Amino acid sequence: MKWALYSTVVLATVFCTVKSFNQFITESQGNFLFQLEGKVDDSNSNIKDVDLFNNGKIYPRINSLVLKDYFRFYKVNLNRNCPFWKDGSHCAMRYCQVESCNEESVPAGLKIRRKTHHENENRSLKYLESSQEIDCDDHESSNNELGYLNTTISASNMEDFALWQAYDDAQDLYCTLPDEDGEAQYVDLQLNPERYTGYKGNHAHKVWRVIYKENCFRPENLFDAYVSSSKLNGMCIEKRTFYRAVSGLHTSINIHLSAKYLLSDKNSNLLASCGSGTWGPNIEELNQKFSPDFTNGQGPDWIRNLYFLYLVELRALAKASVYLEQEEYYTGNEKEDVETHTAVKNFLQIVKSFPHHFNESAMFSESFYGKSLKEEFRKHFRNISSIMDCVGCDKCKLWGKLQVQGLGTAFKILFSKKLDNLLAPANNNKFVPFSKKNFQLERSEIVALFNAFARLSTSIYELENFRNMMR
């Protein structure tokens, strides 16, 4: 009897010890979320302000906005070959597949082939080429006034002007535009939510390694894929911004996959073409991605980079608000188009109310070095947009391309001299009426910008959900 009682006490003690140890491990790994505080690097804001602003004001609005038809359908080409290495690796699991949308489900207004900014330039050029030039001799014979000024421009000169304009426009492009891709097709983003698909391993890691090691700016003699915060502080602000933005994007994607993790699968065969799964938050996966214990202490800094990227894209939306408020958001459904336009204007008013926006004016001086660094910055990021074609999972590729284009559009807005000139006051210190003539965003850029920012907003919101679960 005494032995049985003793055994029970021992077993109870062991059980409580194991339970307390597991609880201690979970709490120690989750503490990094509760320790996220203080100033966001290279900004005038802090994490608490961003959390309150995003979770209370931005998150509900932006996630309602991207449900609108204008933002729901994204044009993309998922069939491009990887331009950097020959690799036939492709995710065969059904959750990697993109659900195609029926032609009838795409709003009629989106299917109308509307002329892009670049096509309008070409059309103007062809018109001028086909028009007859005025003969100088004939004109002089009929008008002998002293000081006659010949204002005609030859077709060859107009072609040169168009080439110069195309070159200038290219300086603002950080990504290829799917609107100009003949093989691009519309995808319904609501049918293809971003979540864990099972795509992982060497192939997935290779894509990120190439992005970090071959395209991000790095200190000399650094061979690790990731750059620690202490090493980043020795780089100029432009190079720090590039690295933190890419790291923030990587962090955001990993948070999405942890928050929408495949918890169970009714059909246990992931390769099957049918069956459904259950997705939800996975604290263990989040710890593996960001706990200092598993990331050599770097995980919390990666999350701070998410906040930095959030501020970068928030600033881009605020800066482009005068442009975005004039957009039609045309889908062919008049009632929804009016609602979308109103919702965008209301959302942008909230965006502009944030008191501590990112300051891009300190970047890229007008010196030769500043201009060459800006071009290198643009080429590096354009390279990253091409690397997205190397992703072996179609659904991952879809969201990767969209979020990279969204960030590229934010860079275009922040660093475009054309937009700066349009927003600058005239000589009398009064702002002139804004015109879209010199600065243009294609529909795919606007859709990518809003959806990419919605993903960042969701990531920060999910971090708060994880904190609540840990509490």
Side-chain angles (χ1 to χ4, degrees):
M1 189 72 179
K2 290 182 179 180
W3 173 252
L5 179 61
Y6 175 76
S7 300
T8 302
V9 172
V10 171
L11 288 173
T13 303
V14 170
F15 173 77
C16 291
T17 302
V18 171
K19 182 178 180 181
S20 298
F21 178 74
N22 288 337
Q23 183 178 4
F24 168 76
I25 291 296
T26 301
E27 289 177 351
S28 67
Q29 291 177 356
N31 277 343
F32 68 91
L33 285 183
F34 297 96
Q35 295 168 358
L36 282 172
E37 57 184 16
K39 186 173 177 289
V40 179
D41 297 318
D42 286 324
S43 78
N44 296 319
S45 187
N46 63 67
I47 288 176
K48 183 179 179 180
D49 288 342
V50 174
D51 280 336
L52 291 173
F53 183 73
N54 177 74
N55 298 344
K57 296 181 178 181
I58 293 294
Y59 173 77
R61 288 177 172 86
I62 187 63
N63 279 279
S64 172
L65 193 57
V66 294
L67 294 177
K68 299 290 187 181
D69 282 351
Y70 183 89
F71 298 103
R72 176 177 174 176
F73 294 92
Y74 178 62
K75 200 171 186 181
V76 62
N77 181 3
L78 299 175
N79 298 318
R80 282 179 175 168
N81 294 323
C82 175
F84 299 103
W85 62 79
K86 292 184 178 180
D87 193 341
S89 298
H90 193 81
C91 177
M93 291 177 286
R94 69 175 181 274
Y95 297 128
C96 287
Q97 299 171 8
V98 170
E99 295 286 339
S100 58
C101 57
N102 297 325
E103 184 70 19
E104 294 76 19
S105 65
V106 180
L110 301 184
K111 291 185 285 188
I112 296 174
R113 188 70 176 92
R114 307 180 79 185
K115 295 293 184 181
T116 67
H117 176 58
H118 304 292
E119 290 173 327
N120 283 331
E121 287 178 354
N122 293 335
R123 183 178 60 180
S124 299
L125 174 61
K126 290 179 179 179
Y127 171 78
L128 288 167
E129 287 177 339
S130 63
S131 63
Q132 292 183 349
E133 296 181 31
I134 300 175
D135 187 278
C136 297
D137 294 334
D138 290 344
H139 189 89
E140 287 180 354
S141 63
S142 60
N143 186 352
N144 294 320
E145 293 182 7
L146 185 64
Y148 163 70
L149 179 65
N150 184 351
T151 59
T152 60
I153 301 176
S154 69
S156 61
N157 284 336
M158 286 303 301
E159 187 174 355
D160 289 338
F161 295 157
L163 290 174
W164 298 339
Q165 182 65 47
Y167 175 80
D168 290 341
D169 291 341
Q171 307 315 299
D172 288 335
L173 288 179
Y174 289 77
C175 302
T176 56
L177 297 180
D179 286 347
E180 299 175 355
D181 190 336
E183 296 185 25
Q185 301 292 328
Y186 279 108
V187 173
D188 186 341
L189 298 176
Q190 299 307 311
L191 292 179
N192 298 278
E194 185 182 22
R195 58 193 181 189
Y196 181 82
T197 64
Y199 175 62
K200 56 184 179 180
N202 291 333
H203 192 270
H205 292 309
K206 180 179 181 179
V207 171
W208 283 111
R209 281 198 304 270
V210 171
I211 288 175
Y212 281 110
K213 298 194 74 170
E214 299 183 19
N215 293 278
C216 284
F217 296 96
R218 311 168 58 77
E220 293 182 4
N221 302 321
L222 180 67
F223 302 102
D224 295 333
Y226 305 116
V227 180
S228 65
S229 294
S230 60
K231 297 280 183 68
L232 272 179
N233 291 333
M235 298 164 61
C236 66
I237 186 173
E238 292 86 354
K239 294 181 179 181
R240 292 200 305 270
T241 294
F242 191 100
Y243 181 87
R244 286 195 169 113
V246 172
S247 175
L249 175 59
H250 192 187
T251 296
S252 180
I253 291 172
N254 278 330
I255 291 174
H256 303 156
L257 304 187
S258 300
K260 296 292 184 289
Y261 196 84
L262 183 60
L263 301 177
S264 65
D265 190 3
K266 292 182 180 179
N267 186 332
S268 60
N269 181 9
L270 282 174
L271 297 176
S273 60
C274 57
S276 60
T278 301
W279 281 265
N282 186 327
I283 294 178
E284 182 180 356
E285 181 71 10
L286 187 79
N287 282 328
Q288 291 283 343
K289 298 291 188 185
F290 300 109
S291 170
D293 299 334
F294 298 106
T295 60
N296 293 323
Q298 293 299 303
D301 288 331
W302 299 342
I303 295 180
R304 299 179 79 87
N305 290 337
L306 162 66
Y307 283 83
F308 174 81
L309 177 57
Y310 178 92
L311 292 171
V312 168
E313 295 198 11
L314 183 74
R315 167 58 183 157
L317 285 165
K319 185 174 182 178
S321 61
V322 66
Y323 178 98
L324 296 169
E325 288 169 352
Q326 295 185 23
E327 185 66 26
E328 296 178 358
Y329 302 101
Y330 178 78
T331 66
N333 183 332
E334 184 177 354
K335 182 175 182 295
E336 167 135 336
D337 294 350
V338 171
E339 291 176 354
T340 301
H341 186 264
T342 301
V344 168
K345 289 187 70 173
N346 292 338
F347 171 72
L348 292 174
Q349 290 302 314
I350 300 296
V351 167
K352 289 186 287 186
S353 72
F354 187 70
H356 304 297
H357 276 292
F358 175 75
N359 180 15
E360 76 284 359
S361 63
M363 298 175 62
F364 301 119
S365 67
E366 287 300 309
S367 66
F368 175 79
Y369 174 75
K371 292 178 180 179
S372 61
L373 181 60
K374 181 178 180 181
E375 178 61 11
E376 189 178 1
F377 188 105
R378 186 185 69 84
K379 288 181 177 179
H380 276 234
F381 195 82
R382 194 175 177 91
N383 229 25
I384 291 176
S385 72
S386 298
I387 292 175
M388 289 298 105
D389 288 317
C390 301
V391 176
C393 161
D394 280 350
K395 192 170 289 184
C396 307
K397 183 188 295 186
L398 164 66
W399 284 101
K401 289 172 79 73
L402 181 144
Q403 290 172 84
V404 166
Q405 187 184 9
L407 177 53
T409 304
F411 285 152
K412 173 180 176 177
I413 292 168
L414 293 178
F415 306 134
S416 172
K417 290 299 180 185
K418 295 178 183 178
L419 185 56
D420 288 339
N421 293 336
L422 289 172
L423 297 176
N427 293 332
N428 58 2
N429 291 325
K430 294 182 179 179
F431 283 91
V432 297
F434 183 84
S435 171
K436 288 186 176 183
K437 182 178 180 181
N438 295 320
F439 180 82
Q440 186 80 13
L441 292 176
E442 307 297 348
R443 179 186 173 273
S444 67
E445 293 176 297
I446 297 174
V447 172
L449 177 66
F450 276 81
N451 275 283
F453 184 68
R455 295 282 76 207
L456 299 177
S457 175
T458 298
S459 294
I460 291 176
Y461 184 82
E462 292 291 1
L463 287 177
E464 185 62 27
N465 286 340
F466 276 115
R467 289 191 194 96
N468 291 333
M469 291 175 62
M470 291 176 181
R471 290 189 182 102

